[in-house]
Amino acid sequence: MGGFCNEAWDATAETRAAIDELPFVKGLADGSLDRDRFDYYMVQDALYLHGYARALAATAARADRSAEIAFYAKSAHECIVVESALHEGNVGSVEGAEPSPTGTAYVSYLMSLAQTGGYAELAAGVLPCFWVYMDVGSRLMEKAGDLEEHPYGEWIKTYADEAFAESTRQAREITDGIAERSDEATVERMREAFVKATTYEWMFWDAAWKKETWPFGG
């Protein structure tokens, strides 16, 4: 698979290498991550995914091909049902929890694409959440060893499994197709959306390590 996605992936190489070096990610790999940091992350990720599901639903609403509408609508549904079950199984209900500054900014950015951008930019903006997690998850799987004994094995398996990899492949294929039928100005906006969303992925991991909170009481 080539085209836009490979170019955008290469453009974020430095950011993705920095994700691998984050202490949160290293702690996930070897199981040394403090449980309170992991729990903070799980709560924030659950809150983020509520917003991300809305962004996926907005992508489905903007799509003009039946298969693409179905893909993004199904992804939005799975985001709420499957992912929420994983989070609630670890940290219980997140009702009443406050989204972090970074989580709020990330969701706000995606929803701004839904409000002011086109289908192309939105598809590019939601792609890193698929792709970066699959990429990180697959390498965590290699480093973690026996997941049955790993304290975060259940989480690692979720993002490194074949079903998630297939969803990522479909999202990439759709995004490449959109870029192929778009003009250069649109492709440039897609590239910008992909790069910014990937940067937000780095920021989200980093915020989890810091257990980021709002200054002055939010």
Side-chain angles (χ1 to χ4, degrees):
M1 188 179 298
F4 170 82
C5 286
N6 280 349
E7 293 174 8
W9 193 245
D10 289 345
T12 58
E14 184 178 358
T15 305
R16 292 183 290 101
I19 289 174
D20 289 341
E21 294 303 312
L22 287 170
F24 188 94
V25 175
K26 288 185 172 182
L28 271 177
D30 63 20
S32 65
L33 182 67
D34 294 339
R35 185 72 200 192
D36 62 334
R37 283 190 166 100
F38 182 74
D39 288 348
Y40 170 95
Y41 163 79
M42 292 295 280
V43 169
Q44 290 301 320
D45 199 41
L47 295 172
Y48 162 77
L49 287 172
H50 290 163
Y52 183 63
R54 290 194 294 272
L56 289 170
T59 313
R62 291 292 189 92
D64 56 6
R65 299 189 176 193
S66 297
E68 295 174 15
I69 295 169
F71 171 77
Y72 288 114
K74 180 173 181 286
S75 296
H77 176 266
E78 290 178 346
C79 193
I80 292 297
V81 175
V82 178
E83 307 287 0
S84 293
L86 173 64
H87 289 83
E88 291 177 6
N90 281 274
V91 294
S93 173
V94 298
E95 200 70 36
E98 185 176 29
S100 69
T102 295
T104 300
Y106 193 178
V107 169
S108 296
Y109 175 66
L110 293 178
M111 295 311 296
S112 76
L113 293 176
Q115 294 298 319
T116 63
Y119 173 47
E121 298 98 299
L122 191 50
V126 299
L127 178 56
C129 192
F130 283 99
W131 202 353
V132 171
Y133 270 84
M134 187 210 72
D135 181 60
V136 172
S138 62
R139 278 178 288 103
L140 284 176
M141 178 85 83
E142 295 172 2
K143 297 174 183 176
D146 182 8
L147 294 183
E148 297 304 318
E149 300 298 323
H150 195 288
Y152 305 118
E154 182 184 6
W155 182 92
I156 294 172
K157 282 190 289 188
T158 299
Y159 289 98
D161 71 4
E162 288 302 317
F164 191 71
E166 175 58 20
S167 292
T168 302
R169 187 199 66 76
Q170 290 181 59
R172 289 173 58 192
E173 186 177 72
I174 289 170
T175 307
D176 272 335
I178 295 169
E180 287 174 4
R181 57 184 188 264
S182 298
D183 60 33
E184 184 51 42
T186 301
V187 172
E188 183 55 37
R189 292 194 299 272
M190 291 174 68
R191 190 176 295 111
E192 179 182 353
F194 185 91
V195 168
K196 283 188 175 179
T198 303
T199 302
Y200 272 119
E201 291 291 331
W202 180 93
M203 292 168 64
F204 198 86
W205 295 105
D206 185 56
W209 177 258
K210 296 173 180 174
K211 294 194 290 186
E212 180 187 68
T213 58
W214 289 93
F216 315 117

